[in-house]
Amino acid sequence: MARGSSGIVAALTAAAVAVVGFLAYQASADVPADLSAKPKASSSASAPAGAGHAKPKPKKDPLAVPAASGTGMRVVYALADRRVWLVDATGKASRTFKVMPSAVSAVPGTYTVTSRSGSVKGSDGVPIEHVVRFASVNDVAIGFSAAQDGSMEEPDPTLKAGGVRMSREDGDAMWTFATVSVKVVVVP
């Protein structure tokens, strides 16, 4: 019986090879002409290894202050980046951090800190601290603050609130840095 089973295995193997060969022929016959053309040699073929590859982008320095954000001591708030920089008089950022924008935002431009409050209830009902106000849009005060519970949730778009939220630690830094009359530059 051993001879019979080896014959069956040999026949099945031959049939499988024939089927694979037939399917490979059909696949090559259906390839569009532009895909079956052989690639032409390029001048970069003799270039050193890696020369044809794009260099990876250098990582952006998180302390790099946005261009066109003014000069001197200032708070820079980038709307699209949802980020704030505290910039010293020499133009270097001493700190940067992510923020949660408010439902109502200031338009890009230059402002000054107009008032501050140590601890109040936000227009959304959340107890907040270290409120630093710098603008007003349609009777809505715009300013930086930290929720006392540390939350930075997405604002309710139905509320006309202007609080740009940050962590409590970042709120402490903002409070120390942004006294009344300090410049605030809002960039897109």
Side-chain angles (χ1 to χ4, degrees):
M1 185 76 184
R3 276 181 95 180
S5 64
S6 64
I8 292 173
V9 169
L12 287 173
T13 302
V17 168
V19 168
V20 168
F22 176 73
L23 292 174
Y25 169 77
Q26 277 190 325
S28 68
D30 290 338
V31 173
D34 60 336
L35 290 179
S36 64
K38 300 214 187 243
K40 294 180 182 177
S42 68
S43 60
S44 66
S46 61
H53 298 287
K55 291 181 181 176
K57 282 187 172 182
K59 294 204 176 203
K60 187 177 175 184
D61 178 7
L63 287 177
V65 180
S69 66
T71 59
M73 182 178 172
R74 65 199 182 278
V75 175
V76 178
Y77 173 31
L79 296 170
D81 289 340
R82 295 180 169 198
R83 180 168 289 279
V84 166
W85 289 261
L86 305 181
V87 183
D88 66 21
T90 67
K92 293 188 179 188
S94 58
R95 185 183 188 105
T96 183
F97 47 88
K98 288 288 209 178
V99 295
M100 179 58 66
S102 55
V104 179
S105 293
V107 296
T110 301
Y111 306 87
T112 57
V113 174
T114 55
S115 68
R116 300 171 8 127
S117 297
S119 180
V120 296
K121 189 176 238 182
S123 53
D124 58 359
V126 174
I128 56 176
E129 63 186 5
H130 299 144
V131 181
V132 176
R133 295 177 201 87
F134 63 91
S136 180
V137 175
N138 298 326
D139 295 325
V140 176
I142 309 296
F144 303 108
S145 64
Q148 290 179 3
D149 66 3
S151 65
M152 286 180 47
E153 295 178 14
E154 195 80 34
D156 181 348
T158 64
L159 291 177
K160 289 191 175 202
V164 180
R165 295 286 163 80
M166 59 196 66
S167 72
R168 292 186 82 183
E169 181 181 337
D170 294 331
D172 288 344
M174 176 69 77
W175 182 256
T176 301
F177 184 87
T179 56
V180 172
S181 298
V182 166
K183 187 171 25 174
V184 177
V185 180
V186 179
V187 296

